[in-house]
Every structure is written in structure tokens, then in C-alpha cells.
Amino acid sequence: MKLLSFCPSSAVSISLPDFIIFFIIYHIHKLESAQFSVTGPGHPVTARMGEATVLPCHLSPRMSAENMEVRWFRSDFLSFVHLYQHGKDQYGNQMPDYRGRTELLKPGIMDGNVSLQILNIRCSDEGQYNCFVQDGSFYEEAPLELKIAALGSNPVISVESHQDGGIRVVCQSAGWYPEPKVLWRDRRGQELPSLSEAKSLGDSGLFETENSIIIKEHSNQNLSCWIRNTFLNQEKESTVYIADFFFPRVNPWMVALSVILLVLFGFIGLTVYLFKIKGKHLGEINDLQRELDWRRNIVCPANVTLDPDTAHPDLVLSEDRKSMRWGDTRQQLPNNPERFDSDPCVLGCEGFTSGRHCWEVEVGSGRFWAFWAVGVARESVGRKGWISPSPKGGIWAVEQCWGRLQAFTSPRTRLPLIWASSRIRVCLDCDRGQVTFIDAGDEAPIFTFPPGSVPGERIRPWFWVGRGSRLSLCP
């Protein structure tokens, strides 16, 4: 039996088996060449703290992803946020912070909808995500940015004390993210200048704010404290009225008596001060002498080398074990108990239990994009899973992140990034339980953890190297 193929020029006959083989090969080739793209929202997704949010992602053109691999991850491809593979969810290597909080929206998977829902949003969820879809040997991915926002508590206004001929009024609120904007307004809505403003991160990672203002009688006794979340474009407001009798009253006789008493006590105070100033100068001289002795005693800094058994697989160590950098690809290294497996950290080989020791680290010159941290850690510091970079977690260090220099206190202590040297000297006093960071260029102090902060156990040098950064131990 033969069939005719319809060609414009002529009719050519082919056998039925040849036609069937051609048909099969054509469709296999068509299936193998089928491609798709992965599309995200194209703009940051904003989510509220404690609520659920959906990270949108779909295939274009729309096709079923039921038999494909769908992987949501952040910076580490293997340590995923959520994985759908072989027709079901896989939780084996899921990041611990996301366990029990993620769900792939499967009702739309037949139409190429591979969106991810995250429950109970936290501050740590903020940042970059990747939606990765693979079918056979073909794959595509799309990036997505998640921003977190939290609307804090209603402002609490309190009258604190008399100051500068008026009344100091304070406005307090907590539970905001990101850092909120705080304003004082009068009854006509006009902005009033603040006396002071303090904002800090609480243990939950949310901002707490305290703002004060001085109110004079018959000026702005009716005022409002207004706090705004710029991400959510929402605000909270509280209003207070300060009655006249709260303001201080001035009596001429009391003013005269105050002046006389001020002169009398000033004379007495000056006499006492002259007697004490000598002792104070002696104390300052002794403190200075101790500091000079401390620095003179460190004639030969500790010869610190890096311990490869503790190095994260993303870190590449030099042959002399004196420098480290972020590698282009993850190394295949044994997952021994000493190795950091989640954070890009490495310890020094040397451990100290007594005495004074110091070493210098080349950190660059304060480049905005550099990400690094240097300091010390307990030998028993956790190596598996995400670590807690703080004294409570067994780490005493300073870091640079997005152009900001800060100390690993709880909450973080922001430090001025004004030093021009590219070297930091780490000084460990085991006997006093104290760690000091010094600018090795001009000997200016950077930060000191107070005496008694470091426990009496074996302490080792600790380093953290971010993507694109490099640290070197100085000879």
C-alpha cells in the first residue's frame, strides 16, 4: 500500500511504514524542541509580618508543570525554600526556617501556575528568591524580591519632665518594619521640630522608636504624634492636650534664692573638684599606662592560619592558609562535624585559653559592596544550620554589610565607617574575657566587647566571607 504526499510541484508516493516513522520522528522532535519561559511579577512583592503571602510565578506559554521540577530557592540552589519533584513535594533538604510554612499552589499547576505561598511571614524572609522550573534537560528561572512590612502599635504619648522652660513630651511605639517615619504636628497639621529621636531593633527584628519634643505654654499645647510605614503607606496617630497647670511657674524671690544657692554650691563644688582632679589625673595616667603596656606586650602577634576542616564549601582557601575568598562554584568537601554547612565561615587553627593575643586581617578599604566579618568564636560554636552571630551564639565580631560597619551585639551596634585603613587588628585578652578591634592604620579603637564578655573556654579566630569578598591574614 502507498500513500501520496501533497507537494506543490508533484505527487511523490511513499510507503505506509515510512510515513509512520516520519510522523513519529517529527513529533518526538517537536516535543524535544518545546520550550517555555518562567515569569515573575516584575516588581517587588510586599508582605505583612505574621500573615501569609504568595510569590507569583508561572510558565509562558501556559502548560502543565505537573511532571516538572519546581524549585524555589534563595542564594543556595541545594538548600531550597520549597521543592516539587516527581509529582510531589520534597522536604529533605528544605531550609529549617521554612519548614511547615511553605505550600506550592497546586490547583493551578496544570495551567503553568507554580506560585509559592509562605505562611507566618518573618523579617528574615525578606530578600531575593528564585523560581526555577526544569523539564528534562531544559530549564528556566525568574528572580523575585520580597519586602517585609509591619504596622506597629499605636503611639503612646507621655509627659516626662520640665525642661528649658517647657515640658518634655515623649512618643513611643514598637513593632514597625522597616524603620518608620515619626513626626510631631500641631492642631493645624503643621510639622513641629523634634528634640531627640531614637530608633532601635528589638529582639524580634522589629523597630522600636522614641521621639521627644519640648512644648511651651500657649504655643503648641494640642499636638499629635504621627508614625508612618512608607512601604504600606499607612500611619498611626495619637493626640494629647497639655493643660496650663502642668507648665512651670516662675517666682522672682525663688529666682533670687536659686541664684544665691547656685553660687554657694558652685564654690563648694569647685573646692571639691580641685581636690579630686589630682586623683582623677593620676587614675587616667594609670589607665593610659595599662593601655600602653597592653600594646607593648603584643610585640609578636599570634601566627593565625585557617583550618580547612571547618571551611564552608563555598570558601576557597589559599595554599598557605592565610587568605580566603568566595568561590565561583561549591566544592565537593566531606561534611565532617567540624565544617560550617550553611554560613560561609571558617575558624583559625589556633585556639587560646589564656594570655593576650592579637592578629591583623586585610579587609579591603571599606568598599560598599564588600560583605565580611572578623572576630572570635567559642570552639563549641554551632557549625550545622544557620548560626546566631552574637555573643549569645558564641561569636564576638564586627561586620561590614551594605556599607555599614556594626558590632555583633544584641541588638546590633552601628559603628561609624570613617576609618581609612584596610587592616583590622583583633586583640583577645583571655584573662579579662575581652575582645578589642583596632584600626591597624592609625591605632584608633573601633569597638570593644566589655570585660567578662568572653567565657573562660577555648577561643578561636573566626571569619565570615560574603559573595565577591576576600579576607587575608597579615604577616
Side-chain angles (χ1 to χ4, degrees):
M1 179 179 181
K2 296 184 178 181
L3 298 174
L4 294 177
S5 61
F6 297 93
C7 298
S9 59
S10 63
V12 180
S13 62
I14 61 173
S15 64
L16 179 60
D18 292 337
F19 179 82
I20 294 174
I21 292 173
F22 170 79
F23 183 82
I24 293 174
I25 292 175
Y26 171 78
H27 279 278
I28 290 176
H29 176 72
K30 184 177 181 181
L31 288 173
E32 288 179 343
S33 62
Q35 296 183 353
F36 56 84
S37 62
V38 178
T39 306
H43 56 80
V45 175
T46 300
R48 284 199 180 196
M49 281 279 296
E51 298 183 1
T53 193
V54 173
L55 306 184
C57 184
H58 65 271
L59 305 185
S60 181
R62 295 190 179 275
M63 62 181 68
S64 174
E66 188 176 18
N67 296 319
M68 300 182 185
E69 175 183 318
V70 180
R71 182 186 297 261
W72 283 88
F73 67 96
R74 301 194 68 173
S75 60
D76 189 342
F77 182 84
L78 298 178
S79 184
F80 53 81
V81 175
H82 192 92
L83 176 63
Y84 173 84
Q85 196 177 51
H86 308 307
K88 60 182 180 179
D89 298 314
Q90 309 287 341
Y91 297 101
N93 292 322
Q94 187 180 29
M95 294 174 65
D97 285 352
Y98 292 92
R99 287 175 186 167
R101 297 199 299 124
T102 61
E103 179 184 3
L104 195 68
L105 300 182
K106 297 187 185 66
I109 199 170
M110 298 294 292
D111 296 325
N113 187 347
V114 291
S115 300
L116 180 71
Q117 179 173 254
I118 303 179
L119 307 175
N120 190 22
I121 289 293
R122 307 170 181 171
C123 285
S124 59
D125 295 336
E126 187 172 62
Q128 186 85 11
Y129 289 78
N130 294 279
C131 176
F132 173 92
V133 182
Q134 181 172 356
D135 184 19
S137 60
F138 181 80
Y139 64 88
E140 283 288 343
E141 64 179 288
L144 182 149
E145 184 179 5
L146 177 63
K147 291 186 176 294
I148 308 301
L151 201 61
S153 61
N154 289 323
V156 176
I157 301 178
S158 57
V159 176
E160 293 290 313
S161 60
H162 291 150
Q163 184 174 337
D164 298 335
I167 294 177
R168 181 173 180 267
V169 182
V170 175
C171 176
Q172 296 174 308
S173 183
W176 295 85
Y177 195 88
E179 186 174 316
K181 182 179 181 181
V182 184
L183 291 176
W184 291 98
R185 297 182 184 274
D186 61 18
R187 61 182 178 181
R188 294 182 298 275
Q190 298 296 317
E191 183 178 342
L192 303 173
S194 299
L195 173 67
S196 65
E197 182 176 11
K199 295 174 184 175
S200 62
L201 277 174
D203 295 336
S204 61
L206 301 179
F207 280 95
E208 302 172 356
T209 180
E210 180 176 300
N211 198 297
S212 66
I213 189 173
I214 299 295
I215 298 299
K216 301 291 182 68
E217 189 175 9
H218 306 311
S219 59
N220 296 300
Q221 295 177 232
N222 195 333
L223 75 157
S224 300
C225 178
W226 180 86
I227 305 181
R228 184 179 186 83
N229 186 307
T230 54
F231 273 13
L232 297 176
N233 200 25
Q234 296 182 31
E235 64 275 345
K236 291 192 174 182
E237 181 183 9
S238 292
T239 303
V240 68
Y241 176 78
I242 310 298
D244 292 341
F245 63 82
F246 281 105
F247 289 90
R249 296 291 183 266
V250 179
N251 188 306
W253 292 103
M254 293 297 296
V255 172
L257 180 60
S258 297
V259 172
I260 295 173
L261 291 176
L262 182 62
V263 173
L264 178 61
F265 284 114
F267 177 77
I268 296 174
L270 178 62
T271 303
V272 174
Y273 172 75
L274 292 176
F275 279 103
K276 287 185 176 181
I277 193 170
K278 181 178 180 181
K280 180 179 179 181
H281 283 316
L282 289 175
E284 290 176 349
I285 292 173
N286 291 335
D287 290 341
L288 179 60
Q289 186 63 45
R290 282 194 295 267
E291 178 66 19
L292 292 174
D293 290 342
W294 152 248
R295 298 195 181 185
R296 289 195 192 101
N297 288 337
I298 308 175
V299 177
C300 298
N303 183 21
V304 174
T305 56
L306 304 173
D307 184 355
D309 292 336
T310 66
H312 186 277
D314 284 337
L315 299 184
V316 178
L317 308 186
S318 62
E319 291 186 5
D320 61 359
R321 300 179 185 176
K322 285 290 189 177
S323 67
M324 67 223 82
R325 64 177 176 85
W326 182 285
D328 297 328
T329 58
R330 171 167 288 212
Q331 305 171 86
Q332 298 299 321
L333 300 176
N335 189 20
N336 50 290
E338 299 85 6
R339 191 177 308 283
F340 291 93
D341 66 353
S342 296
D343 287 282
C345 305
V346 61
L347 294 176
C349 292
E350 296 71 23
F352 309 103
T353 57
S354 62
R356 298 170 176 175
H357 313 273
C358 102
W359 56 93
E360 292 184 6
V361 185
E362 184 81 26
V363 298
S365 57
R367 296 181 296 266
F368 178 83
W369 47 264
F371 297 88
W372 51 259
V374 296
V376 300
R378 294 184 308 205
E379 189 162 47
S380 60
V381 67
R383 318 288 173 85
K384 306 302 179 185
W386 302 102
I387 63 176
S388 174
S390 65
K392 186 176 180 180
I395 296 174
W396 297 262
V398 295
E399 71 162 356
Q400 179 178 304
C401 179
W402 291 115
R404 296 188 307 184
L405 187 67
Q406 54 189 6
F408 281 166
T409 55
S410 184
R412 295 283 197 273
T413 300
R414 186 175 297 185
L415 306 173
L417 192 63
I418 58 175
W419 43 276
S421 174
S422 61
R423 290 189 179 188
I424 288 183
R425 182 181 304 141
V426 183
C427 300
L428 170 65
D429 189 337
C430 296
D431 301 330
R432 299 185 67 191
Q434 179 175 317
V435 184
T436 300
F437 299 89
I438 298 172
D439 179 351
D442 58 9
E443 300 295 327
I446 298 174
F447 185 78
T448 298
F449 286 90
S453 300
V454 183
E457 63 175 271
R458 188 177 175 85
I459 301 298
R460 297 172 66 177
W462 175 86
F463 309 88
W464 185 95
V465 182
R467 187 181 298 274
S469 297
R470 180 187 184 95
L471 297 178
S472 301
L473 288 160
C474 304

